[in-house]
Amino acid sequence: MQSGSVTTPFGRRSMTLGMLASQYMSREIEPETSADKWKLFRALCEAKPKLGISERALSVMSALLSFYPETTLSEENGLIVFPSNMQLSLRAHGMAEATLRRHIAALVDAGLLARRDSPNGKRYARKYGDGAIVEAYGFSLAPLLSRAREIEQIAADVEMERQQLRRLRERLTICRRDISKLIDVALEEGVNGNWDAIHQHYRRLVVAIPRVATAATLTTILEEMEMLREEISNLLELRVKMDILSANHDQIERHKQNSESESLIELEPSSRKEQGEKSRQTIEPQREPMKVFPLNMVLRACPTISDYGPGGAVARPRDLMQAAVVVSSMLCVSPSAYQGACEVMGPENASAVMACILERAGHIKSPGGYLRDLTSRAERGEFSLGPMLMALLRARGGSDRLAS
């Protein structure tokens, strides 16, 4: 541990509390404390933004460290270097003497260097006959060694922040790419949505990204951009579900048509067993397709469904089906339950049933279970949509009557 009285600068240079703090910290260095000078210098370069020192000041520190004869900084080897201004200027890549003094002062103020001035202000060392140094005057590297652990920790924090910033920028780049391409496909496919407003929102977020950004700034922008991407993805997912429902509906209709055409073909049974099976099949009653009710009647009975249509309105049967998909998801109705309803009732009636369920959602404990029950009843020919619509119309004070 260093000892000795406080040293003050030579000439007109004034003493500061920062200089005193550096000297007091230097006295508290444990005897076994040591550090590789160049590893410590690299950590100092990493920690530069947090320590408030410039690249030119680091050049001066590198030059000073080059005058230290050992690779390891320790009190055992002494911590004073005493180059002349000319020698120091040469190792600092020809830095002008006035600039050199200014950056030395910055290192002293930053608590990384201390002056140990001789009586006449010159830098030199007094040695024994065997070459061992008795007394040295110049610059003390003790403050740098005393803050070695602090500097290494600051450098680790700066590196962690840099990695976090890089990850945020990577996520932001991917998110920007996703949004741009999703908007393109939405416009190409004519997906319903206010795409002009969405694109303008996206451009505002892009413009808000600063050239030199902090992790906090990028996190805020990224969160908002990811929310926008989620909104766009939901609109596209809705369109995909509607296309699947439409395709299934067309397939069901084709299947019905094929079944009807095949039923016209009379086949001669080849045995009594086959004759008996055919007789039983003809006796079984065939379920008739459910009647499709007018859209305006459904909307009078269930006006709430309009809020979930494209642009907050339902103007045609396709809009009603699109709104029903949104409502089924909102009411936690499983896709399989809604798909089953579409297959049994038809997409138009299934969407109308979802509108009725939404209208009475506060009185239905399990919308998904209720829909499955209605689907089973419809499959057995025990459910009709008309009475349900009429009940809702009467509850709203309407006077609509079911057309025959």
Side-chain angles (χ1 to χ4, degrees), residues 27-88:
R27 293 180 184 180
E28 297 175 359
I29 300 175
E30 297 297 331
E32 65 274 8
T33 302
S34 63
D36 184 293
K37 64 180 183 180
W38 296 122
K39 288 183 179 179
L40 183 55
F41 178 73
R42 283 194 292 273
L44 187 63
C45 292
E46 291 284 349
K48 172 178 65 67
K50 301 289 186 181
L51 296 174
I53 53 177
S54 65
E55 291 85 353
R56 302 296 297 277
L58 286 174
S59 296
V60 175
M61 176 61 80
S62 175
L64 288 170
L65 288 172
S66 70
F67 286 103
Y68 190 78
E70 305 294 334
T71 302
T72 303
L73 290 175
S74 68
E75 284 200 316
E76 182 181 354
N77 299 324
L79 292 169
I80 306 294
V81 291
F82 40 89
S84 66
N85 285 342
M86 181 180 294
Q87 292 173 325
L88 189 57

Side-chain angles (χ1 to χ4, degrees), residues 168 172 201 205 208-209 214-227:
L168 286 171
L172 194 60
H201 184 195
L205 291 175
I209 302 173
T214 62
T217 303
L218 285 187
T219 299
T220 302
I221 297 174
L222 179 61
E223 288 176 353
E224 192 169 352
M225 196 167 284
E226 286 179 337
M227 289 175 61

